[in-house]
Every structure is written in C-alpha cells, then in structure tokens.
C-alpha cells in the first residue's frame, strides 16, 4: 500500500523497483505494474516470435503475442497491476484500449537506464567532454525482440531531489506517468535521473517535475540541456529532431585557422538579431530570412566577421539575451536548431566568420530556470554575498562545483561543435573575476588567501579556454574584461587566462570621452587619445564600439559628437578612421556604420531610412572603404598586437590637436630597418589625424622611406560628406630629417579628418585608392 500511495502521489523514491516487471518481494514471482490514467483496459502480452511480415498483425507490431491476462486497476487514478506465475523475466508488451482504439505499446520501465556508469563517473568528476549528448532529451533507438523501439531518452541532474518525473505532451503533463530512475552506481544513487520513453517524438513539449528532499513540489523546470525551447512567454523545452543537417562549410573550416589568425584582418559587425531588420508589422525575421539579408549586407560592408548578441534562449526581450535560461538552445524568436544551422552555414559559405555572445557570469531567477533547481542552490551559491548579483538582480554560478563548471564549459563548446560557430565572446568577465565586484564593504567573502580574486572563476575560465583551443582549432575566444587584470589574452601555460583577445575598454572610454569634448578644449586633454598606446600591446586587443555605448541614455555615436551637423559627422568620420588605423582588431555595433541619429532601441529595427540622407550614406561609404583598406593592407592588420607594428611620429602636438603615426606590416618593418627595399613586400601606412576644424597647409609629415607618396584614404572626401580637402596626385619626399625619420612629405591636413598615405611604388595593389 505504501508503494501505491507513493506512486499515485508522485513521490516514490525508487519507482523503477515497482513499475515495470519486478519480482514480488513476498513470493519471488513477477509482478507487472504500470500507470495509465487515460485508458480503459490493459492487457499483458508475451512476445512469442516475429511474424514474416508486419502486415499480418492487426496491431502495430509484426509479432506473434500471447495474452497473459488483464491488469487490475489497483487505484482509481490509473495504477494497474498483475501478479504472474513466473519468476524469470521475459520480453513483453502491453495491449491497451482507449476510447479511440486498441494497440500494443512498449513499457518504459522494461528498458534499462540509458545513462551509463562511465558517463556518470565523468559527469560527477566534471570531466565529461560532451555532456550535452547525454543529458537532456535525445532521440534513441532501443531493441526489443529484434525490433527497433524508437523513443526519447531523458536525463537530468538533480542530486538533492526526492522525486523527478518528466512531463509533457506525451503523458498529458501528468507527473505520475513517467517517474524517473535515480541511477545507482556502486550501490549509491548518483543524482542523475533517467528514463526512456518509447514513441515520444520530435516537437513534443516537456519539462521536469521535481520534488525537493522534503517532498515539496517545485515549479516545473525546463531542461537545462534542452536543445530547443518554446517561444516566450511559454517556457517548456521541446524534443528536437536528430541532427542531420547537411553542412557545406568544409572549405571555410579548412581555412578558418588562417582567417582567424592574430595576423589576419578581423573586422567585426556586432548585431542584435531582433532589431537589425524587422518585417513591416514589426515582427521578427527568422534565422533564414536574416541570413538572406544580413550576410550579403555584411559582406558588402567589408566586415570579416559577425558577432551576435546572445542567441541562447532567454525569457525577457529587454535583457537582449544577457539573462539566459536555455544555454544550449537557439532562441525560438527566430526559428529552430536547423534554422540557426542554416544561418551559420550561410555565413561560412560567404566566407564570413561568426562569433556569439556567451553569458556564464550570471543567470535569472525565473521559476522554470536553474534557480533552486532541485530545491537547493544547485547551480548558484547559497550565500547571497557570493550567489547574488546586485547590478542585475540575477544569480551567480558556483564555479567551484565541478558539475556546474562542466555544464557551463559544455554550454559554450557545444555552439562550436553542433553549430560550427567560430568564436565565443564571454560577457562580463570582470564580474566573474572579482569577489567584490560592484559590492560594498562586508557584502563579499574573501578567498582562502584573504584576497578579492574569485579563484574558482579563474580556474574555470582557464580550463574553458584550454578546451576551446584544444578541441576546436581555428576558433577563438574574446573577453569583455574592463579592468587591468594581467594576462587576460596570455596563454594559460604562461600564467594567463587563455583568451584569444580582450576588448580594449580603456581605449573605448578614453577615446569617446575625448571625442565628446569641444574641439577647442581638446588640446587640454590631448593624452586621452594617445594614452591607449602605452598599453596597446599588453594584450591582444579588439577595439570595441559596441551596443553598450549607444543605450541607456548615452546617445548614439553621432549624438556624442559636438558641434553642428557638419561637425558631428566630420567628427564621426575622423574618429572611425582613427579607430581603423589604430592597432587592434575592430568591432562596430550595427547602426553605427551609417551614424544612426538616435540611440539603439531593441524594440524596433534600425533607422534605415536615414541612408537617404547623404551624410549618413557617406559614413556608410567610409566604413566600406575603411574595411576594404584594412583587409587589403597588411601594415594595418599584420601587427595589430605587436609593438613593432606601430611608431609615433608625433603624439605631442597639443596646440593643433593633431596625431601622426606609422603602421608597419611584417615586410614593411624590414624596410624601415634599413634592409633593401626589394625585400619589402608590403609598405608602411602613415596616418595623420586632425581633431579640430582648422585646415593646415604645407604640413610636414615624416615618412620611413623616400619616394613618391599617395593618399590612400581621406575621411574629409566629398563622397563621405566632407569638404573635399584632399591631397591629389603624388607627394615627393624631401630628404631632410623630420619627426625621427630621414625624410618627410608636405601635405594639407584636412579639417576634422584622418588621412592615410603610402608609397606610390609599394608592392601593395592600390585597389584601396578612393
């Protein structure tokens, strides 16, 4: 009677010892027990033999079967049982009768656990390479009497739960129908719950019904490893189809390591998929529609990579994806798994790299998510001084728990494995590294050494990077890290965190602060723009003008600029050109490429109509040409992260607010060091930036080689919306020392503009000439 009560109240600790075919404790004879609340009759049948053809059976199995009796309803809720004369197990099925039909089905409790001891051992150690292939819901084929039984294996980690059931469309969301087995290893329950449900199929919705250690029911939980989820506001997980996507990106993957090299040009277009473009009724485009529009545009603009703000499932649009609950599922806002795979494949076939944002720093407290998942603080720290994020009212992962760290690492790496993405940008790294991040005194707990460093998070990030680079050659990681933590992009074997790149937040903050000043005041703050070169090569930097700079009342890039409309656009053009000439890879948020007038609004598409205004279209044309110049000019990218790829000509011209410098590629540097010019395959680029509205004629600019120079790009060109103060024709060097060089050229410095120059007889093909 205790078993019956426990089963019908969904609280049995070991349901697999009662449900299915088990030995009766008193007699040793077999007893079949099952729970079916929505049927009229159950008959227990033995499988005798396969029939020659399935067509000869009036049921849905091609077998000869023998009835061993009808099961007796032992509880009105739908619990049935039958005691047999036999003591030895055998193959069987159940013949059920409903109001609609009679059919033969398979008993879920006939099948053994589909999660093996080795998997559980590796999971418990936190060392499973692909836990997403074992936990969650997976299509599976088992065998019974030489016939395939198709169904779905469900597995979930809930070590402190007293009872777990899987509920869904396949069982009328009745938590009594499919209680899961807490798998035992070495006579100890593992905390990993599992069940195989025959005939569960693709597209059905499901959740886990979990009771805590005291038997209290928790809110139904979505699958932490779910591959697909419902479109908000619904929150169930969805059984996904077996992955059979036909990838066509083999050529890209073969060349990816070269394209993503630190010596390659990397110019990133950051995109929020929900607001880049929308349909006329303001509805989202799907992944395939986005691919057909976004990818050609990105290629036309000359960017080498796309970076998507988080695409993993999240409940609240206003979080932009930075409060995810489904780390393994592409958000249903834009389609399903195959749709996202199509998007990635289309990127690669267009020779466009793809990065995605990943958020391991915190997670929301939504009831259907990870918060108090099994009734305890399983994924998060229990103490709010470690487990609660005051900035975002979110929860913080317990990186010191090996199962949690394994879950998180896998959630990142599966995007590279299953979806072929090329890079992971890790959000809010600083909030992970410091125990006192955004906390007042006495609101945080020091580490074991009394320090503020989160040692568990440091170890987690290091291992994440090691596994990424070991398992996915050619892919790379990026840290959004806003402090001076040393060695963020240094290999772990050299004491670093192991990231490929770090966002240069210092450059972004200082340069924007400088650009927001009136030109007349900039001479008093000259170091704000040059200071970044003091540390520009301490890390492998990406220069970011991201979504964070154009939201929350900060205004658009254009709105930050002082002066009238002409001056604002001139400032934007000069600034972008300075950015593209500055050492470091590039990142620009969508809308900034045409200097959108208003700050970004995630609830609507960009203001594309502004491209009808020549000043906006001029900035867009400039970004196209900057990307083209950058990608075709090795001096502008080969040594983005090496100190000998940059040399100041003059960074102290405060009176005129002019900066001038040289960028070198590998071969150009050889030439500059007095090796014969014939060995220099590429030549240096000389850059001058003027951040006032004054034009300067007969301006002397030092150059590293003698000869005839030409202007490669001038942000004041009329085609960009400028005043067209250009340096037309060739500029012959004068053989007199200037600015530390042995010769100089005489130029006209345009107002509020950046100009770049190169030797006319450079071996570089001057396709970049505007």
């Amino acid at each position: 009677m205790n078993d019956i009560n426990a089963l019908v109240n969904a609280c049995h600790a070991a349901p697999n010892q009662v449900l299915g075919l088990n030995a009766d404790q008193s007699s040793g004879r077999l007893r079949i027990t099952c729970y079916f609340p929505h049927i009229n009759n159950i008959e227990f049948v033995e499988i005798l033999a396969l029939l020659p053809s399935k067509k000869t059976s009036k049921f849905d199995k091609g077998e000869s079967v023998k009835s061993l009796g009808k099961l007796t309803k032992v509880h009105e809720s739908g619990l049935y049982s039958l005691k047999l004369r036999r003591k030895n197990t055998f193959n069987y099925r159940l013949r059920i009768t409903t109001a609609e039909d009679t059919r033969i089905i398979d008993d879920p409790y006939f099948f053994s656990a589909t999660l093996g001891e080795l998997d559980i051992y590796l999971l418990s150690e936190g060392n499973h390479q692909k836990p997403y292939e074992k936990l969650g819901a997976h299509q599976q084929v088992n065998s019974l009497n030489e016939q395939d039984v198709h169904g779905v294996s469900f597995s979930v980690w809930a070590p402190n739960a007293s009872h777990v059931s899987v509920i869904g469309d396949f069982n009328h969301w009745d938590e009594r129908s499919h209680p899961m087995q807490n798998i035992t290893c070495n006579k100890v329950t593992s905390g990993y719950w599992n069940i195989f449900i025959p005939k569960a199929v693709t597209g059905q919705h499901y959740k886990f019904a979990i009771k805590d250690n005291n038997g209290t029911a928790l809110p139904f939980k979505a699958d932490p490893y779910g591959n697909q989820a419902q479109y908000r506001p619904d929150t169930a997980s969805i059984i996904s189809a077996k992955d059979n996507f036909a990838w066509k990106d083999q050529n890209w993957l073969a060349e990816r390591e070269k394209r993503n090299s630190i010596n390659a040009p990397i110019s990133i277009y950051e995109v929020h998929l929900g607001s880049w473009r929308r349909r006329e009724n303001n509805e989202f485009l799907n992944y395939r529609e986005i691919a057909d529009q976004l990818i050609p545009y990105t290629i036309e603009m000359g960017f080498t990579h796309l970076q998507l703000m988080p695409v993993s499932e999240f409940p609240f649009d206003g979080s932009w994806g930075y409060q995810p609950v489904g780390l393994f599922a592409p958000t249903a806002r834009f389609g399903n798994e195959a749709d996202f795979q199509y998007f990635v494949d289309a990127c690669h076939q267009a020779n466009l790299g793809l990065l995605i944002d990943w958020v391991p720093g915190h997670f929301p407290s939504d009831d259907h998510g990870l918060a108090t998942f099994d009734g305890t603080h399983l994924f998060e720290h229990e103490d709010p001084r470690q487990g609660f994020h005051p900035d975002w009212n979110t929860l913080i992962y317990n990186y010191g728990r090996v199962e949690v760290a394994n879950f998180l690492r896998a959630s990142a790496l599966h995007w590279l494995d299953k979806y072929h993405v090329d890079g992971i940008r890790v959000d809010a790294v600083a909030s992970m590294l410091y125990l006192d991040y955004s906390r007042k005194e006495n609101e945080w707990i020091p580490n074991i050494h009394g320090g503020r460093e989160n040692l568990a998070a440091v170890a987690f990030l290091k291992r994440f990077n090691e596994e990424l680079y070991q398992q996915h050659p050619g892919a790379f990681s990026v840290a959004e890290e806003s402090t001076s933590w040393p060695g963020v992009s240094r290999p772990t074997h050299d004491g670093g965190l192991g990231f490929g790149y770090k966002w240069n937040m210092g450059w972004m903050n200082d340069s924007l602060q400088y650009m927001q000043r009136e030109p007349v005041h900039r001479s008093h703050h000259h170091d704000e723009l040059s200071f970044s070169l003091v540390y520009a090569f301490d890390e492998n930097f990406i220069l970011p003008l991201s979504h964070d700079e154009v939201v929350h009342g900060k205004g658009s890039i254009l709105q930050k600029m002082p002066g009238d409309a002409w001056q604002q656009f001139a400032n934007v053009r000069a600034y972008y050109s300075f950015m593209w000439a500055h050492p470091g890879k590039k990142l620009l948020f969508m809308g900034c490429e045409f200097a959108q007038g208003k700050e970004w609004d995630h609830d609507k598409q960009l203001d594309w109509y502004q491209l009808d205004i020549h000043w906006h279209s001029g900035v867009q044309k400039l970004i196209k040409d900057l990307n083209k110049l950058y990608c075709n000019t090795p001096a502008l990218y080969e040594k983005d992260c090496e100190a000998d790829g940059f040399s100041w000509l003059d960074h102290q011209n405060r009176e005129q607010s002019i900066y001038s410098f040289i960028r070198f590629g590998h071969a150009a540097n050889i030439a500059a060091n007095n090796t014969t010019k014939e060995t220099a395959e590429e030549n240096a680029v000389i850059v001058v930036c003027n951040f006032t509205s004054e034009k300067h004629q007969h301006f002397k600019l030092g150059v590293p080689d003698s000869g005839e120079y030409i202007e490669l790009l001038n942000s004041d060109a009329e085609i960009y919306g400028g005043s067209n103060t250009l340096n037309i024709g060739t500029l012959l060097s004068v053989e007199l020392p200037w600015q530390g060089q042995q010769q100089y050229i005489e130029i006209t410095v345009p107002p509020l503009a950046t100009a770049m120059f190169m030797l006319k007889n450079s071996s570089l093909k001057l396709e970049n000439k505007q």
Side-chain angles (χ1 to χ4, degrees):
M1 185 59 67
N2 288 336
D3 281 336
I4 293 176
N5 288 334
L7 288 171
V8 299
N9 287 291
C11 61
H12 201 293
N16 57 297
Q17 295 179 10
V18 179
L19 294 173
L21 193 60
N22 291 284
D24 186 82
Q25 292 182 353
S26 59
S27 65
R29 290 161 55 184
L30 295 175
R31 177 181 291 277
I32 178 70
T33 304
C34 54
Y35 182 84
F36 286 103
H38 304 288
I39 66 170
N40 300 327
N41 185 66
I42 305 179
E43 193 174 356
F44 188 64
V45 297
E46 179 182 7
I47 303 170
L48 299 179
L50 287 175
L51 294 176
S53 170
K54 290 186 180 181
K55 294 180 180 178
T56 61
S57 172
K58 67 177 183 179
F59 304 114
D60 61 354
K61 299 289 179 182
E63 300 155 337
S64 172
V65 296
K66 174 185 177 182
S67 175
L68 297 180
K70 292 183 179 180
L71 278 71
T72 302
K73 182 181 282 190
V74 296
H75 193 278
E76 60 183 9
S77 66
L79 187 66
Y80 293 81
S81 186
L82 174 66
K83 190 173 182 179
L84 306 176
R85 296 178 180 275
R86 303 185 186 185
K87 294 186 177 182
N88 297 320
T89 59
F90 54 95
N91 293 339
Y92 69 90
R93 286 197 163 98
L94 302 171
R95 181 185 291 158
I96 65 172
T97 301
T98 67
E100 291 78 27
D101 64 359
T102 296
R103 63 185 184 275
I104 288 181
I105 65 168
D106 295 294
D107 182 1
Y109 297 94
F110 172 85
F111 302 96
S112 301
T114 55
L115 196 61
E117 286 193 13
L118 178 59
D119 289 314
I120 292 174
Y121 173 76
L122 293 172
L123 288 165
S124 300
E125 277 198 332
N127 291 326
H128 204 295
Q129 293 296 308
K130 294 184 178 182
Y132 48 87
E133 292 185 350
K134 299 298 180 179
L135 297 177
H138 298 281
Q139 302 277 351
Q140 189 165 319
V141 180
N142 281 323
S143 179
L144 176 58
N145 207 44
E146 301 181 17
Q147 284 198 345
D148 290 340
V149 178
H150 295 263
V152 174
S153 171
F154 296 89
S155 300
V156 66
W157 178 54
N160 302 297
S162 62
H163 186 273
V164 180
S165 293
V166 59
I167 54 177
D169 296 339
F170 40 79
N171 62 14
H172 304 280
W173 296 86
D174 190 329
E175 61 184 303
R176 298 167 295 183
S177 293
H178 291 108
M180 303 175 75
Q181 174 186 356
N182 190 348
I183 301 174
T184 300
C185 290
N186 298 320
K187 299 182 179 180
V188 178
T189 53
S190 65
Y192 291 91
W193 301 74
N194 173 263
I195 190 173
F196 173 76
I197 301 181
K199 289 195 173 181
V201 296
T202 299
Q204 290 181 320
H205 306 92
Y206 71 97
K207 282 187 175 181
F208 295 111
I210 301 175
K211 291 187 175 178
D212 68 14
N213 197 41
N214 295 318
T216 302
L218 303 173
F220 295 154
K221 296 291 186 179
D223 186 351
Y225 282 89
N227 291 314
Q228 201 170 328
Q230 282 185 295
Y231 186 24
R232 55 102 174 103
D234 296 317
T235 57
S237 302
I238 301 175
I239 299 172
S240 59
K242 200 157 189 175
D243 187 1
N244 59 359
F245 187 81
W247 290 95
K248 300 176 183 177
D249 64 348
Q250 293 79 9
N251 291 339
W252 166 268
L253 294 177
E255 297 182 3
R256 181 169 72 175
E257 192 162 7
K258 179 177 68 176
R259 292 179 181 273
N260 291 343
S261 164
I262 199 169
N263 297 319
I266 295 178
S267 181
I268 303 167
Y269 186 46
E270 186 191 23
V271 170
H272 177 260
L273 289 180
S275 57
W276 182 73
R277 281 194 188 273
R278 290 194 176 188
R279 299 189 181 117
E280 289 185 2
N281 57 5
N282 204 39
E283 289 183 350
F284 295 134
L285 301 173
N286 63 41
Y287 290 118
R288 294 173 188 260
E289 291 172 318
I290 296 170
D292 295 342
Q293 297 181 44
L294 174 60
I295 293 171
Y297 176 79
T298 308
I299 295 296
E300 179 188 359
M301 291 299 300
F303 292 99
T304 64
H305 292 69
L306 272 172
Q307 179 173 308
L308 304 182
M309 292 167 68
V311 295
S312 51
E313 194 56 76
F314 58 100
F316 176 47
D317 285 9
S319 76
W320 314 329
Y322 290 101
Q323 294 189 14
V325 294
L327 291 180
F328 294 82
T331 176
R333 288 166 176 79
F334 316 116
N336 60 27
E337 298 169 278
D339 295 329
F340 186 66
Q341 287 173 318
Y342 173 92
F343 177 88
V344 179
D345 200 42
C347 286
H348 290 170
Q349 290 186 62
N351 291 325
L352 186 66
L354 180 67
L355 295 88
I356 62 168
D357 271 7
W358 175 55
V359 189
H362 62 120
F363 63 95
S365 57
D366 296 66
D367 285 344
H368 69 283
L370 300 177
T372 55
F373 187 78
D374 64 356
T376 67
H377 298 278
L378 186 63
F379 286 88
E380 69 273 25
H381 282 282
E382 181 176 4
D383 192 319
R385 293 174 295 174
Q386 294 174 297
F388 179 75
H389 205 299
D391 282 357
W392 302 306
N393 292 321
T394 51
L395 303 175
I396 299 173
Y397 291 104
N398 183 350
Y399 307 109
R401 187 162 196 165
V402 294
E403 299 94 338
V404 174
N406 199 172
F407 163 79
L408 284 173
R409 294 194 310 273
S411 75
L413 298 180
H414 106 287
W415 292 100
L416 286 82
D417 179 22
K418 182 173 181 177
Y419 294 104
H420 292 201
V421 303
D422 303 294
I424 300 291
R425 179 264 194 185
V426 184
D427 179 64
V429 171
S431 73
M432 301 170 64
L433 293 175
Y434 297 98
L435 294 167
D436 63 345
Y437 184 89
S438 200
R439 296 180 188 276
K440 299 176 183 178
E441 190 176 356
N442 299 321
E443 291 182 353
W444 60 282
I445 300 175
N447 63 33
I448 57 173
H449 305 298
R452 58 197 286 253
E453 300 82 10
N454 189 334
L455 302 179
V458 171
F460 164 74
L461 290 170
K462 286 183 176 182
R463 183 165 177 183
F464 153 70
N465 281 309
E466 289 169 352
E467 291 182 353
L468 183 149
Y469 283 97
Q470 290 167 3
Q471 297 175 27
H472 301 279
F476 63 95
S477 60
V478 180
E480 185 211 12
E481 205 286 312
S482 55
T483 73
S484 57
W485 185 283
V488 172
S489 58
R490 188 186 306 153
T492 57
H493 59 75
D494 286 338
L497 293 181
F499 285 93
Y501 295 94
K502 173 182 174 176
W503 274 18
N504 193 335
M505 310 294 280
W507 170 87
M508 178 272 297
N509 285 317
D510 289 347
S511 63
L512 283 177
Q513 181 172 284
Y514 177 87
M515 292 305 301
Q516 290 177 81
R517 300 186 187 279
E518 293 287 345
V520 68
H521 298 142
R522 286 173 177 168
S523 63
H524 303 293
H525 304 275
H526 197 69
D527 294 340
E528 286 178 348
L529 211 60
S530 60
F531 180 69
S532 61
L533 271 303
V534 173
Y535 58 86
F537 308 104
D538 292 350
E539 301 277 2
N540 301 330
F541 279 124
I542 292 174
L543 309 182
L545 290 179
S546 73
H547 64 275
D548 280 329
E549 313 322 315
V550 293
V551 289
H552 300 322
K554 297 178 184 177
S556 67
I557 296 295
L558 181 65
Q559 288 175 317
K560 298 178 194 294
M561 302 301 166
D564 59 22
W566 187 93
Q567 291 173 320
Q568 284 184 302
F569 279 94
N571 273 300
V572 169
R573 295 191 302 268
Y575 180 49
Y576 285 169
S577 301
F578 166 72
M579 172 181 174
W580 256 254
H582 189 288
K585 308 307 180 185
K586 324 301 175 190
L587 180 141
L588 191 66
F589 182 57
M590 65 182 200
C592 297
E593 80 276 14
F594 60 85
Q596 176 167 294
K598 296 179 180 179
E599 73 174 26
W600 170 54
D601 182 350
H602 73 272
D603 280 327
K604 65 178 185 178
Q605 70 171 9
L606 298 177
D607 294 334
W608 293 104
Y609 67 88
Q610 292 186 337
L611 286 172
D612 293 334
I613 303 170
H614 74 284
W615 279 336
H616 292 281
S617 60
V619 174
Q620 186 191 52
K621 168 66 174 169
L622 174 65
I623 293 297
K624 288 182 186 179
D625 288 351
L626 283 171
N627 275 328
K628 183 178 181 181
L629 179 64
Y630 174 67
C631 291
N632 291 335
T633 310
L636 291 176
Y637 65 77
E638 279 186 339
K639 293 199 168 189
D640 266 332
C641 304
E642 300 175 47
D644 60 355
F646 176 91
S647 179
W648 280 115
L649 289 171
D650 188 357
H651 65 283
Q652 296 180 329
N653 189 347
R654 295 176 177 272
E655 293 75 16
Q656 296 175 317
S657 294
I658 291 178
Y659 305 79
S660 53
F661 54 88
I662 307 174
R663 292 296 310 278
F664 296 104
H666 290 299
N669 207 28
I670 295 173
N673 290 330
N674 299 319
T675 305
T676 58
K677 291 178 185 175
E678 286 75 13
T679 64
E681 297 176 358
E682 310 293 348
N683 279 81
V685 173
I686 300 90
V687 183
V688 60
C689 307
N690 178 14
F691 289 106
T692 72
S693 56
E694 296 296 320
K695 178 173 68 174
H696 301 278
Q697 295 180 316
H698 309 296
F699 185 90
K700 293 180 181 180
L701 185 66
V703 292
D705 290 296
S706 60
E708 294 181 328
Y709 282 77
I710 61 169
E711 190 173 68
L712 284 177
L713 183 139
N714 186 326
S715 68
D716 190 51
E718 185 177 12
I719 57 173
Y720 305 139
S723 66
N724 218 37
T725 303
L726 306 178
N727 292 275
I728 300 173
T730 58
L731 304 163
L732 183 63
S733 64
V734 178
E735 302 302 312
L736 288 174
W738 191 256
Q739 294 177 325
Q741 307 301 310
Q742 296 305 306
Q743 51 278 314
Y744 67 85
I745 56 176
E746 200 169 274
I747 66 170
T748 297
V749 179
L752 283 175
T754 294
M756 304 184 203
F757 303 87
M758 176 179 278
L759 268 174
K760 180 180 179 181
N761 61 353
S762 165
S763 60
L764 176 69
K765 294 180 180 179
L766 296 176
E767 299 172 351
N768 307 307
K769 189 73 175 74
Q770 58 202 16

